[in-house]
Amino acid sequence: MHRTTRIKITELNPHLMCVLCGGYFIDATTIIECLHSFCKMCIVRYLETSKYCPICDVQVHKTKPLLNIRSDKTLQDIVYKLVPGLFKNEMKRRRDFYAEHPVDASNGSNEDRGEVADEDKRIITDDEIISLSIEFFDHSRLGSSMEEKSPKEQVAHKRYLQCPAAMTVMHLRKFLRSKMDIPNIYQVDVMYEDEPLKDYYTLMDIAYIYTWRRNGPLPLKYRVRPNCKKMKVSHAQHEGQNSTSRSGVESDSASDKAGSPAGAPSASSSLPSPVTPAQSPQPPAPSSVNGTPAAAPTTPGRSFTQFGNGSGSKPRKVSLNGSSG
């Protein structure tokens, strides 16, 4: 079974931190010769006195090393999303800097001036409150039937919540189960569109994975289905009961066979023809007491054929009362 492991941010620090300043990347910049990354300010200052990579000593450029470095926006976005509060603190630091040192920064971008909000950058923090909508997922209503509904009908079936970004899908499932009194024999799944979500996903993870752009509440759905584990247990118990009943029937039939005379045929088969004692599977004839034949060990209501002692006498039929026929 596939197991998911949570990775701590400290384990990723070597890939998110600049070796020159020891802090997280700010304006991550990569050397195109060796693909090592640094803060933009750090690597620019370093290359003023050296033309080699600070990590692997590969030559960046013979005369103009600044020509062989590139800004890495993807890496910087990863750092901002993984390190809580880094983006907000950096934007505040830039705004404070330009407020104390008024210069013409019209050539720079809004992010360079610190004028980009978390919502515009789609950076979500753990303590942020996320608005979400939750509705029942009905597979039979997919397709055209959903389009036929009016906006009012669609809104009527939705519920809106405000939850911390660090809340997990497991907590949301427990909330739905408690709110709607769903028995434990049913499984509650939280879904994005038609895809079930993992229990350890946080709302922040869902927003990043499915590129939620904050243009409305985070759209989630839920469905209720029978619990597979409960079904398997009940099915196994049912099979156990069936096997027990079958074994009881077999044991009863076996006991019937054991109580019947040796070699006695079933009611649906014909009686065997008389044979000589050497060929007969029947037990020897019972001895008589005072001239009266002993009762045969047979099932009540049945009679059996008793054979002679091999002297050529005819077979006799003995009844239940011991008299011979």
Side-chain angles (χ1 to χ4, degrees):
M1 182 178 179
H2 177 69
R3 299 180 61 183
T4 303
T5 305
R6 300 285 288 181
I7 300 177
K8 297 181 179 179
I9 188 66
T10 54
E11 298 178 10
L12 297 176
N13 277 344
H15 308 284
L16 307 177
M17 300 179 69
C18 175
V19 299
L20 296 177
C21 67
Y24 290 107
F25 292 134
I26 298 297
D27 288 338
T29 303
T30 301
I31 298 175
I32 64 175
E33 294 293 333
C34 58
L35 300 181
H36 288 130
S37 300
F38 312 89
C39 298
K40 183 176 181 180
M41 185 178 297
C42 296
I43 190 61
V44 168
R45 287 180 178 178
Y46 180 84
L47 293 179
E48 290 177 355
T49 59
S50 176
K51 297 180 178 60
Y52 298 91
C53 173
I55 297 177
C56 62
D57 283 338
V58 69
Q59 189 177 43
V60 181
H61 193 275
K62 290 183 179 180
T63 57
K64 298 179 180 180
L66 295 181
L67 296 178
N68 280 359
I69 60 175
R70 297 290 184 273
S71 179
D72 196 335
K73 295 293 185 182
T74 302
L75 177 59
Q76 188 59 56
D77 287 342
I78 293 174
V79 175
Y80 281 149
K81 291 178 179 180
L82 289 178
V83 182
L86 181 63
F87 178 77
K88 184 180 295 185
N89 294 336
E90 177 62 20
M91 294 300 105
K92 182 178 182 303
R93 189 182 67 84
R94 295 182 183 184
R95 290 193 299 269
D96 294 343
F97 175 83
Y98 283 109
E100 295 177 1
H101 306 84
V103 294
D104 184 11
S106 58
N107 294 331
S109 62
N110 292 338
E111 185 175 344
D112 292 337
R113 297 190 297 269
E115 298 176 357
V116 177
D118 294 350
E119 293 79 7
D120 299 332
K121 191 67 174 176
R122 297 196 297 274
I123 302 297
I124 302 173
T125 58
D126 291 341
D127 56 349
E128 183 176 345
I129 299 300
I130 291 183
S131 298
L132 62 91
S133 64
I134 188 80
E135 64 178 328
F136 180 71
F137 174 78
D138 191 352
H139 191 272
S140 61
R141 295 180 179 178
L142 293 178
S144 58
S145 60
M146 292 295 292
E147 297 176 358
E148 294 174 357
K149 282 188 170 185
S150 64
K152 291 184 179 180
E153 292 177 345
Q154 293 181 9
V155 172
H157 291 84
K158 289 184 179 181
R159 295 295 180 267
Y160 297 88
L161 302 172
Q162 285 188 329
C163 307
M167 190 184 75
T168 62
V169 171
M170 180 183 66
H171 292 117
L172 186 56
R173 288 199 306 107
K174 289 183 177 180
F175 171 77
L176 293 173
R177 183 183 295 277
S178 173
K179 192 71 174 176
M180 296 182 292
D181 295 331
I182 300 175
N184 291 330
I185 59 174
Y186 294 100
Q187 177 74 22
V188 180
D189 293 331
V190 178
M191 312 172 68
Y192 187 92
E193 295 181 351
D194 58 347
E195 183 177 353
L197 301 173
K198 304 292 185 182
D199 278 349
Y200 56 84
Y201 280 1
T202 63
L203 296 181
M204 182 171 61
D205 295 334
I206 299 171
Y208 284 148
I209 293 172
Y210 298 97
T211 61
W212 178 53
R213 300 185 180 278
R214 301 176 185 264
N215 51 1
L218 182 64
L220 298 179
K221 299 179 182 179
Y222 72 94
R223 68 181 178 187
V224 180
R225 59 186 177 86
N227 196 331
C228 297
K229 293 183 180 179
K230 297 287 184 181
M231 292 179 63
K232 289 180 180 179
V233 171
S234 61
H235 182 68
Q237 293 176 351
H238 183 66
E239 288 294 331
Q241 293 175 358
N242 290 342
S243 61
T244 303
S245 61
R246 286 198 300 267
S247 62
V249 172
E250 292 175 357
S251 62
D252 293 342
S253 61
S255 62
D256 290 344
K257 291 181 181 179
S260 62
S266 61
S268 60
S269 59
S270 60
L271 291 173
S273 59
V275 291
T276 61
Q279 298 175 340
S280 173
Q282 298 292 338
S287 60
S288 60
V289 179
N290 297 329
T292 303
T298 133
T299 307
R302 292 186 182 180
S303 62
F304 72 99
T305 303
Q306 181 180 1
F307 302 102
N309 54 5
S311 60
S313 61
K314 295 182 179 180
R316 295 178 301 165
K317 178 175 286 190
V318 179
S319 62
L320 293 177
N321 57 8
S323 62
S324 60

